[in-house]
Amino acid sequence: MAAIKGRKDSKGYVLRTGESQRNDGRYCYAYSDRNRVRHYIYAKTLPELRAREKELQIK
C-alpha cells in the first residue's frame, strides 16, 4: 500500500497542520497562543486562510 501524503480537502488540496475543512465548505485554522488557549481562524477559501496564517506569523 502507498503511504498517505497528508489530509486533503474536497478539492484535492493537501491541508497543512492545523488546517481543516468544515462541512459547510469553509476552512478553519486552529492554533494555541502562549497561554495554551485555543484560537480559530475561518475563511471561505484556502488561499485566504493561508494569508491570514501568514499575518499571524508576522506578528
Side-chain angles (χ1 to χ4, degrees), residues 23-57:
N23 288 336
D24 62 1
R26 290 187 297 165
Y27 292 91
C28 175
Y29 176 69
Y31 68 97
S32 299
D33 64 7
R34 292 179 183 173
N35 298 325
R36 295 185 179 174
V37 177
R38 201 84 165 139
H39 296 278
Y40 300 92
I41 297 175
Y42 297 96
K44 289 184 180 180
T45 64
L46 191 56
E48 182 182 341
L49 181 71
R50 290 190 174 162
R52 290 183 181 186
E53 287 177 43
K54 197 171 195 178
E55 288 176 12
L56 276 177
Q57 293 174 354

Side-chain angles (χ1 to χ4, degrees), residues 7-13 15 18-29 43-46 49:
R7 296 173 302 113
K8 296 186 179 184
D9 66 355
S10 62
K11 297 176 183 175
Y13 296 112
L15 297 174
E19 295 178 345
S20 61
Q21 187 177 27
R22 296 167 48 99
N23 288 336
D24 62 1
R26 290 187 297 165
Y27 292 91
C28 175
Y29 176 69
K44 289 184 180 180
T45 64
L46 191 56
L49 181 71

